[in-house]
Amino acid sequence: MKVPNQSIYSQCCGLVNQPVEIRCHDGSVHRGMLTRVDERTAYLQPAGSVLSNSPGLFLWGSGGWGYPIALASIAAILAIGFFW
């Protein structure tokens, strides 16, 4: 399968399990822990959420990986210092 944006995909793969800031083409900004990347989507655990077995914000995403952000919508992704 061809990855829609190979550059963004490669950047995301190198930043898994790190705190990041994602800026999208629509101007939105997302901050959190990048938990997983697949061919079309980056999954982000929002800043301030807690990893646990209890229901919560982190667990409502796709299979418990966090909430999805389409790779095609990402304009830039930056590693940022630990913030929570």
Side-chain angles (χ1 to χ4, degrees), residues 5-72:
N5 188 332
Q6 187 65 42
S7 175
I8 292 294
Y9 175 76
S10 296
Q11 284 182 286
C12 288
C13 286
L15 294 170
V16 171
N17 295 322
Q18 294 187 45
V20 297
E21 178 178 282
I22 294 176
R23 294 182 182 266
C24 295
H25 292 291
D26 67 1
S28 61
V29 177
H30 309 275
R31 291 182 187 90
M33 184 73 67
L34 185 61
T35 59
R36 179 175 178 240
V37 179
D38 63 28
E39 293 83 10
R40 297 187 183 273
T41 311
Y43 297 87
L44 195 68
Q45 174 193 354
S49 65
V50 177
L51 289 172
S52 71
N53 291 330
S54 63
L57 185 57
F58 178 69
L59 298 176
W60 69 263
S62 178
W65 292 105
Y67 69 88
I69 300 172
L71 292 183

